[in-house]
Amino acid sequence: MGPGSAGTGSPWRNWAGNVTSRPVREVSPASAEELAAELRRATRDGLRVKTVGTGHSFTSIAATDGVLIRPDLLTGIRRIDREAMTVTVESGTPLKRLNVALAREGLSLTNMGDIMEQTVAGATSTGTHGTGRDSASIAAQIRALELVTADGTVMTCSEKENPEVFAAARIGLGALGVVSAITFAVEPVFLLTAREEPMRFDRVIAEFDQLHAENEHFEFYWFPHTDNCNTKRNNRSAGPAAPLPRLGGWFEDEFLSNGVFQAACSLGRAVPPAIPAIARISSRALSARTYTDIPYKVFTSPRRVRFLEMEYALPREAATAALRELKAMVEGSPLKVSFPVEVRTAPADDIALSTASGRETAYIAVHLYRGTPHRGYFTAVERVMTTHGGRPHWGKVHTRDAAYLAEAYPRFAEFTALRDRLDPDRLFANDYLRRVLGD
């Protein structure tokens, strides 16, 4: 069993299966008012409270032995404001439902991550992001949010209303209150042309700054035990749309990325010495392809192979040195790594605990197939990342604590002071928040 908490109700488990907890009770409020009533009830009963989305975090950020709030009834679009170009959505709405609903209305978010299973509040509260030269994380697209605080107050936060709360609560880690609704900036739906192309590691590293500068959204994957990478460039297009053919798209994304990859990972877990050969074969099987479609069909893809993930945000100028060190570490160790390493970027933003707060950022993410011993690899990766001032993703495996994070985030004390004000009795505390924020 992974880290968790012991209550008396039925157990809750995250998507990856590495975190379990046993809350005393689960509740599903259908409005901000019902949510506020549940918080007051929990306070009377002396129980802590956590809200859980779809469990896509790999940390125990949502684990509780008290009251577990499920936002299943807090879903749907409240309103679309075409003058302000915003959409207000209930906090438990899955991103995939929001993306489809917006597309139907001829609208889209500007940028998004590569998975859309998460709820909007779960994704934003942990700092979920895609890749972008000019456009930042999902939380950076928030224009207002509704927050239910520990005493049951329903607070609206924006740049104009409660701006000091807005500055922090967009990525609030569930520590400041329960988000009940989010207002996002949207724009008329547009087309993106994706250009995927295999490239050698040394070339990607040498041209990284140029590839970042020349493309609106650049990312790449490096396959450990090889010199092979797959690059992806997404740029706005005047059209026409040229989506992947249904069968071709299914073959590449479902069969190869999920079906065959699942089998390869299972084989690698059973026979670790086979992993380098599998990596060489699978990375060589990649071919260049170009397609044009609406944003969520280009940015996102299904993830059916379950894994554990660690991701660190580095100053963008440190990325290539860190990647060279990471490659040398893997090659000089007995580690066998079956999952590619993912590299993305983000511009600086102004959110207190955003991994891109105040600095141009590169993200380096490492994954291992679920059930594979991960500690050795992740510890070695973390050693490389922390030497470059890395900030761990709040929802992905890491061992950092408040002492480290207070140094990594210039506005850390601003966040913890706000937490002291909004949740002085720590209604929303759990073991994870005690570690990363202190008491």
Side-chain angles (χ1 to χ4, degrees), residues 13-28:
R13 181 181 291 259
N14 70 339
W15 178 81
N18 67 311
V19 177
T20 55
S21 69
R22 196 178 280 276
V24 169
R25 65 173 177 257
E26 290 188 15
V27 296
S28 298

Side-chain angles (χ1 to χ4, degrees), residues 295-344:
Y296 83 85
K297 294 186 178 180
V298 173
F299 284 132
T300 72
S301 55
R303 289 283 190 282
R304 308 204 201 288
V305 182
R306 301 209 177 202
F307 52 82
L308 281 184
E309 181 174 359
M310 169 181 278
E311 181 180 73
Y312 265 81
L314 307 184
R316 190 164 56 79
E317 62 274 12
T320 54
L323 284 161
R324 283 198 187 93
E325 290 166 36
L326 183 58
K327 188 169 189 279
M329 180 274 289
V330 170
E331 287 169 355
S333 78
L335 292 166
K336 300 288 181 278
V337 181
S338 57
F339 257 83
V341 172
E342 183 180 22
V343 181
R344 295 176 289 175

Side-chain angles (χ1 to χ4, degrees), residues 54 71-78 80 87-109 112 115-121 123 138 184 186 294 296-297 300:
T54 52
D72 311 10
L73 302 180
L74 292 168
T75 59
I77 290 175
R78 280 192 191 176
I80 292 171
V87 60
T88 301
V89 62
E90 303 281 349
S91 59
T93 308
L95 281 165
K96 61 183 173 188
R97 278 177 53 191
L98 174 62
N99 286 334
V100 170
L102 286 176
R104 207 179 292 132
E105 296 286 341
L107 301 168
S108 177
L109 295 172
M112 58 194 78
I115 299 176
M116 55 175 180
E117 301 302 315
Q118 311 100 312
T119 61
V120 293
I138 306 175
F184 291 104
V186 291
I294 61 174
Y296 83 85
K297 294 186 178 180
T300 72

Side-chain angles (χ1 to χ4, degrees), residues 97-337:
R97 278 177 53 191
L98 174 62
N99 286 334
V100 170
L102 286 176
R104 207 179 292 132
E105 296 286 341
L107 301 168
S108 177
L109 295 172
T110 298
N111 199 352
M112 58 194 78
D114 54 10
I115 299 176
M116 55 175 180
E117 301 302 315
Q118 311 100 312
T119 61
V120 293
T124 54
S125 295
T126 54
T128 297
H129 61 89
T131 189
R133 180 189 62 203
D134 313 305
S135 55
S137 71
I138 306 175
Q141 298 168 67
I142 295 176
R143 293 295 168 263
L145 57 84
E146 185 179 84
L147 185 73
V148 185
T149 58
D151 63 1
T153 302
V154 181
M155 179 188 286
T156 303
C157 313
S158 67
E159 284 182 351
K160 294 195 176 86
E161 274 185 280
N162 300 301
E164 75 294 347
V165 180
F166 184 68
R170 284 172 286 169
I171 299 181
L173 316 186
L176 305 176
V178 180
V179 175
S180 50
I182 299 176
T183 300
F184 291 104
V186 291
E187 58 178 300
V189 72
F190 53 94
L191 291 171
L192 284 172
T193 293
R195 182 175 156 206
E196 298 176 13
E197 181 186 2
M199 204 177 277
R200 304 291 282 175
F201 180 88
D202 287 343
R203 184 183 160 197
V204 181
I205 294 300
E207 297 179 11
F208 179 68
D209 287 338
Q210 183 185 343
L211 288 161
H212 167 77
E214 289 176 354
N215 295 282
E216 290 169 76
H217 309 274
F218 174 69
E219 64 187 305
F220 73 93
Y221 297 84
W222 164 61
F223 292 80
H225 313 294
T226 78
D227 289 318
N228 302 330
C229 297
N230 195 35
T231 62
K232 186 174 180 181
R233 292 167 248 204
N234 296 332
N235 289 289
R236 293 195 184 214
S237 165
L244 285 168
R246 184 160 289 186
L247 190 60
W250 175 86
F251 184 74
E252 288 268 348
D253 294 323
E254 283 299 317
F255 183 68
L256 289 180
S257 300
N258 288 302
V260 173
F261 190 49
Q262 174 89 48
C265 287
S266 297
L267 174 62
R269 186 172 66 186
V271 191
I275 286 174
I278 294 168
R280 285 191 291 274
I281 293 163
S282 57
S283 63
R284 278 205 300 265
L286 294 165
S287 56
R289 61 179 187 171
T290 302
Y291 50 97
T292 301
D293 213 329
I294 61 174
Y296 83 85
K297 294 186 178 180
V298 173
F299 284 132
T300 72
S301 55
R303 289 283 190 282
R304 308 204 201 288
V305 182
R306 301 209 177 202
F307 52 82
L308 281 184
E309 181 174 359
M310 169 181 278
E311 181 180 73
Y312 265 81
L314 307 184
R316 190 164 56 79
E317 62 274 12
T320 54
L323 284 161
R324 283 198 187 93
E325 290 166 36
L326 183 58
K327 188 169 189 279
M329 180 274 289
V330 170
E331 287 169 355
S333 78
L335 292 166
K336 300 288 181 278
V337 181

Side-chain angles (χ1 to χ4, degrees), residues 393-418:
H393 189 300
W394 298 107
K396 298 179 186 178
V397 178
H398 69 93
T399 66
R400 301 298 89 191
D401 61 13
Y404 176 92
L405 296 163
E407 295 292 318
Y409 285 92
R411 295 171 67 183
F412 190 82
E414 174 190 329
F415 187 95
T416 54
L418 182 64

